[in-house]
Amino acid sequence: MSSNTLPPQTEQERICKDALTNIKKAGFHMRKAIEDSNVKDSLKCATQMLSELRTSQLYPQKYYELYMETFDQLTPLETFLEEERSRGRSIGELYEMVQHAGNVLPRLYLMVSVGALYIRSGEAAPRDVLRDLVEMCKGVQHPTRGLFLRAFLCQRTRGVLPDSGGAYEGPGGSVIHSLEFLLANFTEMNKLWVRLQHQGTVRDKERRERERRQLQDLIGRNLAYMAQLEGLTFDLYKAQVLPRVLEQITSCRDALAQQYLLQALVQGFSDAFHLGTLPALLDVLPAMESGVKAHSVLAQLTDRLAKYAAGSPAALQRLLESRAREAFGAAVAGVVRAQPGIEPSEAVEMYVALMNFVVSVHAGDLAAADTVLEAAAATATAMAPRAGPLADDSKAEKQMVALLSLPVVKYGVLGTLRLTHYAPLMGLLKGETQRRLAVRICQGLLEAPTGSVSVVGSSSSSSSSSSSSSSSSSSAFASSSTTPSATEAKATTSSTSSLSSAGAANAGTTPTTTTPTTTTPTTTTPTTTTPTTPTTPTTHGVDSAEKAGALFRLIRPLVVDPDSLDSTLDSEDLEEEQILVSRLLHAIGSQNPDTEFRILNVARAHLMAGGPKRLKTTLQALVCRGLILQRKLVAEIRLRRLLAKEARKMEVGVKEAGELREAGQVKEEGELRGEKEEGDRKEEEGQKEKEENEKEKEEEKKEEESGNDQTGEGEERSKASSEPTSSSPSSSSSSSSSSPSTAPASSPALPQSPPLLPPINLTCPTLLRWLMATIEPLTSGSAAAPVAALRLLTQLALVASEEAGEELMALACFETAIAVFETSLTDQRSRAAAAIDLAAALERCFVFRPAIRNRLAVAVAAACGALLHAPDNVRALCAASLMYWQKPRGDLPLPLGPELGGAAAVTAAVALADVATDIFGGEAALPCTFELLKENGDVGSNTRNSNKSSSSSSRSSNIDSSDSSGYATTKNNACTERSREEGAVSISVVHPPVRDAIAVRNLLDRAVRVARLAKAVMVSTSGFGGAAINYVGLLLDVMARYQYFLEQLPAALDDEAVSSTSRST
């Protein structure tokens, strides 16, 4: 039998069983000799037992069973020999005795067992014994026997290796000798392990590889024991351990050995050692065999270094200074170049490991992550000609999805948008995978809390900073406001309140009024009101056109029609995806209307690239988003006009304050000059009085000398005259002293002008035209959705009329909607609903001039009357009647004209009675109708005599018409001027509500005729029952519309007039 040929499995079982029996038998005799304290017999029995390990007929798995049994049997022998040393026997003598065994394998096992005791006894230097043992083991070169022998050597000597601070360190050995011993044993064991692959036949190669994997831990113990040495420093590792280990890994040329040893090296030694020797470790990867999974080694190494960096800031700083990312990137590129036949999945997995390292260590460096994506895309593209498209390899695609998911998880969707190479790499996947990834991106953006969407290193804080600056400016604006007189404050507050209410009605904001503040009565400055800003929608951080473009490039699989990618998507999945895209459209935006319009424009450009299946859903959401922007734009324009108005008031206040200050300064200078002149004049008068007093004193002295008898009178006069003289200087001094101390009057504080918001370039007509163009694909063509298009057009017409005041745009919307109704709607139910929508929308529009409105009303009425189904026809005509009887608006007057006269009311009442008679029969319904008129008969008395003659009423109606038209025009102009003063957006004339009772009655009469005819046909065919009952309900609907019409009349008639007119009718 050849040395490389092993017996079959059954023979293996028999050989193993016999060997185990012999080992147990010899072990029994050995224990008996130990009990008798017979050293020679015990060693002899141990030699017989160890001889069973000399077999070469067993596979490593079976051989391992013999090894473990023998290992257990040797334990009592080692204990016995240790006891012999305590009795005075020399271990050196025993070490020489076991060397006389006849066979080399038993001899070496016994030498290892006794050699460990020899080192422990201290009778020999550890370095000599270890060197002797590791060299003697070279005598066994059989792969299986030699591998297990060296494993036994490594395990028995583990506790006696010299180490720093250990019991066996000293002159006889140091940590260096331990490293030499372990490295030598590691080298020999690795050689034997590699040779195991050549043992046996070729067909057993897979089994041998499996058994080799089971034995790999025996080799790794050497590296583990080296890493556990306390004396192993970085210098020793770098100078002695790592070079020899890498040399052995490189030279073995075995993929399995290289794979395991690299992993054992990474896992066994310290992270600090790896960081200091990272270039040397990574340089080995390109030199590995093609079967080595370098991605697994890189993943372990990057993961360990990332955790090491997370442990302390100093470690992170060391990692950044070592430029580990660049080293890993160069290693990956080197492996790809060195192994042209590498599998795409393995290549991509290396980039996954690198990306994981980047997002963990370089958390704020999006450029580093983008570099990894760029390199991965280049590698995948370069491998496509050889390995085929990446989408065809399921393993590679799975790893690519893992690579693309890491930035989304770490940086969020907003951070991912800044990665320029993300979308190209995503395009390498197949369509289905791209869609799943795009759905994940959309869900991640929608589910992220708006308050906590933050990206490290991103510029998403610009919107928040602009928001804070806007709020701070508004608060500053509010704090600088002052209030003048009560009349002015009341007028300004009411103006602001009405404007805020209008803005709230259109933009959904809450109106606020500024509470007047108390000011100094000496200064009058205009009132500053705090403007209200419209509520902005949640943007989730996508607040610029660039971010929106990047987002739509990432979710392109959800925007492009399935036909351009693949057709595996069913209708339900397609609908769910488009709903997700629609939600995304409402989640993006900006506080600035100009920026938001650019965002919507980018979105439309991407959405139009899709097919008709997607446009039917996404364009509707886009139009709704544009309508929200329109309301926001109206509120922003009103806000800016209000600020401009307040700024103008501030300018006037500043001017008045300046004039007051200038007048105060002039007055102050005049007062000071007058006080100075008054002081000089008083001083001169005091000097004159002093001189006169001196003269009088001289005269009195002369009189005394001459002996005059009037001495007392002179003294009295002297005292009387001296009093003003003494008081004059004091008053002068007091006035002069008080003059400088008088502080000038405080000048009035200049009011601060309100901060103005940045201008808006977007205008309402531009946005409305954009919305009209967006709706156009839904009106015709492959993406036609006439029902949705008509509803959107009516909504756009309402917005154009009531919020933007654009008559021409509202007219274009109505005309397009009517054209869609006439040409594209075929379903009768849809036509009925559309006709009612048109009538309801036109009833709420007040921007049209009478001629244009009449033309639209006629077209809508014709559409309502063209319905084939009688119930739908009747209901549509009833709805159309409201077009001629609009509900009043608070800022518009009610018209006065002949169509509201008493004759029209009586005519409508009679028509109502006819309908009631048709339903209930006879004249029982007339009193009910007249009672209704009576209930409405207390409004006015100017039309009570309208039943005298038709000619007089006609003439009076003409007069009333001329007067009322002039009144309505004057009132309308006043309303328009007022709305302009309050900052209204519209520059068009808003017309009063239409009140045309004749047109209302004509439509209702037509509805009655249709209902009667349908009822008659149904009764004639099926009798009064079944479906005919439904048409009675239609007549009741018409009667209810008549009743509503009568309740809205501003004039009423008394019972006599009603009775007379009804009898004549």
Side-chain angles (χ1 to χ4, degrees):
M1 182 179 296
S2 174
S3 60
N4 291 334
T5 304
L6 296 177
Q9 185 68 26
T10 55
E11 187 68 16
Q12 293 268 330
E13 294 288 342
R14 187 190 63 80
I15 296 174
C16 181
K17 184 178 180 180
D18 294 342
L20 288 174
T21 302
N22 295 332
I23 290 174
K24 293 177 181 180
K25 184 184 296 186
F28 174 77
H29 293 293
M30 181 187 68
R31 288 191 297 274
K32 293 293 289 183
I34 292 174
E35 292 176 0
D36 297 337
S37 300
N38 192 337
V39 176
K40 291 185 178 180
D41 290 346
S42 61
L43 292 177
K44 181 179 179 181
C45 293
T47 303
Q48 294 177 357
M49 178 181 62
L50 292 170
S51 297
E52 298 296 332
L53 296 178
R54 297 173 57 210
T55 179
S56 58
Q57 303 298 314
L58 297 176
Y59 290 120
Q61 184 178 3
K62 294 295 181 181
Y63 192 88
Y64 179 73
E65 296 180 12
L66 299 182
Y67 171 79
M68 292 304 299
E69 182 66 27
T70 306
F71 186 86
D72 295 337
Q73 296 291 340
L74 285 177
T75 304
L77 178 62
E78 295 177 357
T79 305
F80 170 67
L81 296 178
E82 182 70 19
E83 293 175 354
E84 287 295 318
R85 186 178 74 85
S86 63
R87 296 189 186 102
R89 185 182 288 272
S90 173
I91 300 299
E93 180 183 350
L94 294 176
Y95 187 69
E96 293 180 359
M97 184 182 299
V98 296
Q99 295 183 22
H100 294 285
N103 296 316
V104 62
L105 187 63
R107 182 195 313 154
L108 293 176
Y109 270 100
L110 292 176
M111 288 182 65
V112 170
S113 299
V114 178
L117 297 176
Y118 199 14
I119 297 175
R120 193 175 292 115
S121 65
E123 299 178 10
R127 64 170 182 273
D128 298 333
V129 177
L130 291 175
R131 183 171 58 251
D132 186 32
L133 292 176
V134 75
E135 292 295 331
M136 291 293 293
C137 287
K138 290 182 179 179
V140 179
Q141 292 296 321
H142 188 274
T144 305
R145 296 195 297 264
L147 187 62
F148 281 96
L149 173 62
R150 290 188 173 273
F152 183 76
L153 170 64
C154 182
Q155 189 170 3
R156 288 303 186 188
T157 57
R158 176 187 179 185
V160 295
L161 294 176
D163 194 6
S164 298
Y168 305 102
E169 183 185 21
S174 63
V175 66
I176 297 178
H177 299 96
S178 298
L179 290 175
E180 290 292 337
F181 166 75
L182 292 173
L183 285 173
N185 194 52
F186 162 75
T187 302
E188 295 298 328
M189 288 186 71
N190 185 55
K191 293 178 181 178
L192 296 172
W193 185 47
V194 172
R195 287 170 54 191
L196 276 177
Q197 63 180 322
H198 305 296
Q199 188 177 8
T201 59
V202 178
R203 63 176 178 269
D204 295 334
K205 182 178 180 180
E206 183 178 353
R207 180 187 54 78
R208 289 197 303 270
E209 294 295 327
R210 183 173 62 252
E211 291 177 347
R212 287 185 62 201
R213 289 189 179 92
Q214 295 173 355
L215 298 175
Q216 62 187 9
D217 290 340
L218 300 178
I219 296 91
R221 288 177 184 175
N222 296 278
L223 299 178
Y225 295 163
M226 279 189 282
Q228 294 172 4
L229 292 175
E230 295 293 337
L232 180 63
T233 62
F234 174 74
D235 295 334
L236 286 176
Y237 172 80
K238 183 178 180 180
Q240 297 186 19
V241 177
L242 183 63
R244 294 180 62 176
V245 173
L246 292 180
E247 180 184 2
Q248 183 61 33
I249 293 174
T250 306
S251 61
C252 68
R253 299 296 180 184
D254 179 63
L256 178 61
Q258 291 177 344
Q259 176 77 35
Y260 170 73
L261 294 178
L262 284 174
Q263 293 178 346
L265 181 65
V266 171
Q267 295 294 334
F269 291 94
S270 171
D271 297 328
F273 290 177
H274 293 323
L275 183 58
T277 59
L278 189 60
L281 184 59
L282 294 179
D283 288 343
V284 179
L285 293 179
M288 296 295 99
E289 297 295 319
S290 58
V292 176
K293 297 180 180 179
H295 59 85
S296 179
V297 179
L298 280 175
Q300 293 180 0
L301 184 57
T302 55
D303 184 62
R304 289 204 60 175
L305 291 181
K307 292 180 179 179
Y308 173 69
S312 64
L316 177 60
Q317 185 64 28
R318 285 189 58 198
L319 191 61
L320 295 177
E321 292 176 355
S322 65
R323 303 181 65 85
R325 179 181 62 83
E326 291 79 358
F328 281 122
V332 172
V335 171
V336 173
R337 288 193 303 269
Q339 301 179 8
I342 188 174
E343 294 294 330
S345 60
E346 297 180 1
V348 176
E349 196 167 353
M350 287 191 293
Y351 288 105
V352 172
L354 181 57
M355 177 62 75
N356 198 6
F357 176 78
V358 168
V359 300
S360 299
V361 178
H362 303 269
D365 193 356
L366 288 174
D370 202 22
T371 303
V372 177
L373 295 178
E374 181 183 9
T379 301
T381 304
M383 295 176 65
R386 174 184 60 83
L390 188 67
D392 296 339
D393 190 343
S394 59
K395 294 182 179 180
E397 189 179 39
K398 183 178 179 181
Q399 295 300 326
M400 188 65 73
V401 171
L403 174 62
L404 294 173
S405 300
L406 284 174
V408 178
V409 173
K410 182 63 179 180
Y411 302 121
V413 177
L414 296 181
T416 307
L417 297 181
R418 301 178 59 191
L419 301 176
T420 57
H421 295 89
Y422 192 94
L425 189 61
M426 184 177 172
L428 299 177
L429 305 174
K430 62 183 180 181
E432 182 64 25
T433 308
Q434 291 185 41
R435 279 196 293 270
R436 289 199 302 268
L437 194 57
V439 167
R440 188 182 306 174
I441 291 173
C442 291
Q443 292 175 347
L445 182 63
L446 293 174
E447 294 174 0
T450 56
S452 62
V453 174
S454 60
V455 181
V456 181
S458 67
S459 60
S460 62
S461 59
S462 59
S463 61
S464 61
S465 61
S466 63
S467 173
S468 61
S469 62
S470 176
S471 61
S472 62
S473 62
S474 300
S475 61
F477 186 16
S479 62
S480 63
S481 63
T482 56
T483 305
S485 62
T487 305
E488 235 177 336
K490 182 177 180 181
T492 307
T493 305
S494 62
S495 171
T496 307
S497 177
S498 61
L499 177 59
S500 301
S501 301
N506 290 331
T509 57
T510 304
T512 60
T513 56
T514 303
T515 304
T517 57
T518 312
T519 58
T520 313
T522 58
T523 307
T524 301
T525 55
T527 303
T528 303
T529 56
T530 304
T532 57
T533 56
T535 304
T536 55
T538 302
T539 62
H540 290 270
V542 185
D543 53 1
S544 65
E546 293 75 14
K547 292 181 180 179
L551 176 61
F552 278 96
R553 283 192 295 271
L554 293 185
I555 65 169
R556 185 175 181 273
L558 303 182
V559 176
V560 178
D561 198 79
D563 295 337
S564 60
L565 292 175
D566 53 53
S567 58
T568 59
L569 197 64
D570 56 13
S571 58
E572 293 183 0
D573 294 339
L574 179 62
E575 184 178 1
E576 292 178 358
E577 290 180 359
Q578 298 320 294
I579 291 175
L580 190 63
V581 174
S582 301
R583 290 177 57 198
L584 192 65
L585 288 174
H586 286 275
I588 61 178
S590 173
Q591 296 179 351
N592 190 339
D594 292 332
T595 305
E596 187 164 348
F597 179 67
R598 288 193 291 270
I599 291 173
L600 296 183
N601 212 0
V602 170
R604 188 178 73 169
H606 285 274
L607 293 177
M608 294 301 293
K613 298 179 181 179
R614 299 179 182 267
L615 291 179
K616 292 179 180 180
T617 303
T618 54
L619 287 185
Q620 297 183 46
L622 185 61
V623 172
C624 293
R625 192 69 179 82
L627 292 175
I628 295 175
L629 176 59
Q630 169 62 32
R631 293 185 176 93
K632 178 181 176 181
L633 178 62
V634 170
E636 288 286 346
I637 293 177
R638 283 177 175 154
L639 175 63
R640 280 158 175 77
R641 290 186 177 179
L642 177 60
L643 289 177
K645 179 181 177 182
E646 297 299 334
R648 289 193 296 270
K649 290 183 179 181
M650 279 295 179
E651 292 177 0
V652 175
V654 170
K655 185 177 180 181
E656 293 178 355
E659 293 176 355
L660 291 175
R661 174 180 289 181
E662 183 178 357
Q665 291 177 355
V666 172
K667 179 180 179 181
E668 182 181 352
E669 292 175 359
E671 291 178 352
L672 292 176
R673 191 182 301 110
E675 290 176 357
K676 184 177 181 181
E677 292 176 356
E678 183 69 17
D680 295 341
R681 185 179 61 80
K682 290 182 178 181
E683 187 177 358
E684 292 178 358
E685 291 178 355
Q687 187 69 22
K688 290 180 180 180
E689 291 179 358
K690 184 177 182 181
E691 292 176 358
E692 291 176 358
N693 292 333
E694 291 177 356
K695 289 180 180 180
E696 289 178 356
K697 289 179 180 181
E698 292 177 357
E699 291 177 357
E700 289 176 356
K701 289 179 180 181
K702 289 180 181 180
E703 290 178 356
E704 289 176 357
E705 292 176 359
S706 61
N708 196 341
D709 297 335
Q710 301 177 353
T711 307
E713 297 178 358
E715 292 177 358
E716 293 176 0
R717 288 195 303 266
S718 175
K719 291 179 180 181
S721 62
S722 64
E723 288 178 359
T725 306
S726 61
S727 63
S728 176
S730 63
S731 63
S732 172
S733 62
S734 64
S735 65
S736 62
S737 62
S738 63
S739 175
S741 63
T742 302
S746 59
S747 59
L750 293 178
Q752 299 180 0
S753 59
L756 296 180
L757 299 177
I760 298 177
N761 298 323
L762 180 63
T763 60
C764 290
T766 302
L767 181 56
L768 292 174
R769 286 193 297 269
W770 184 86
L771 290 171
M772 190 71 176
T774 306
I775 299 175
E776 184 179 359
L778 299 176
T779 59
S780 61
S782 58
V787 176
L790 195 142
R791 290 178 180 174
L792 293 175
L793 286 170
T794 55
Q795 291 293 325
L796 184 59
L798 277 174
V799 171
S801 170
E802 300 309 296
E803 298 182 13
E806 294 291 335
E807 181 187 19
L808 295 180
M809 181 56 64
L811 176 62
C813 293
F814 271 110
E815 289 177 345
T816 307
I818 293 172
V820 171
F821 177 86
E822 294 175 350
T823 59
S824 302
L825 285 180
T826 57
D827 181 64
Q828 292 301 313
R829 182 173 298 179
S830 300
R831 287 174 64 86
I836 294 175
D837 289 343
L838 286 172
L842 186 58
E843 184 265 334
R844 295 166 58 190
C845 292
F846 294 86
V847 75
F848 294 115
R849 288 170 288 179
I852 296 178
R853 180 182 181 79
N854 184 52
R855 178 159 57 88
L856 290 177
V858 170
V860 174
C864 294
L867 299 175
L868 300 179
H869 195 217
D872 296 336
N873 198 341
V874 172
R875 295 188 183 95
L877 289 172
C878 291
S881 64
L882 292 177
M883 295 187 301
Y884 297 98
W885 198 267
Q886 290 180 291
K887 294 180 180 179
R889 272 177 42 168
D891 57 343
L892 298 177
L894 288 176
L896 299 175
E899 65 275 9
L900 300 181
V906 174
T907 304
V910 172
L912 176 60
D914 291 342
V915 176
T917 302
D918 184 76
I919 296 174
F920 302 105
E923 297 181 358
L926 289 177
C928 300
T929 306
F930 299 151
E931 185 66 25
L932 176 62
L933 289 177
K934 183 178 180 181
E935 292 175 359
N936 292 292
D938 297 329
V939 179
S941 59
N942 59 340
T943 59
R944 293 182 181 275
N945 298 324
S946 61
N947 60 335
K948 293 182 179 180
S949 64
S950 59
S951 59
S952 62
S953 66
S954 176
R955 286 193 297 271
S956 117
S957 298
N958 291 334
I959 296 173
D960 292 342
S961 176
S962 61
D963 294 340
S964 65
S965 62
Y967 167 77
T969 303
T970 305
K971 192 73 173 177
N972 182 34
N973 293 336
C975 292
T976 303
E977 291 299 328
R978 185 179 65 188
S979 64
R980 290 180 180 177
E981 281 293 325
E982 293 176 354
V985 178
S986 173
I987 60 173
S988 303
V989 176
V990 180
H991 298 275
V994 174
R995 293 298 178 92
D996 191 350
I998 298 174
V1000 171
R1001 194 203 166 190
N1002 290 336
L1003 288 175
L1004 295 179
D1005 287 348
R1006 185 176 178 182
V1008 170
R1009 289 195 299 271
V1010 173
R1012 285 175 175 173
L1013 178 61
K1015 190 190 75 169
V1017 172
M1018 188 59 64
V1019 170
S1020 63
T1021 55
S1022 60
F1024 193 84
I1029 300 298
N1030 297 333
Y1031 293 93
V1032 177
L1034 298 178
L1035 294 173
L1036 289 174
D1037 292 342
V1038 181
M1039 185 175 179
R1041 187 65 67 187
Y1042 270 118
Q1043 181 179 354
Y1044 169 78
F1045 165 62
L1046 291 174
E1047 290 174 351
Q1048 299 294 322
L1049 289 175
L1053 301 175
D1054 55 9
D1055 296 344
E1056 183 180 358
V1058 171
S1059 301
S1060 175
T1061 305
S1062 62
R1063 284 195 298 271
S1064 64
T1065 303

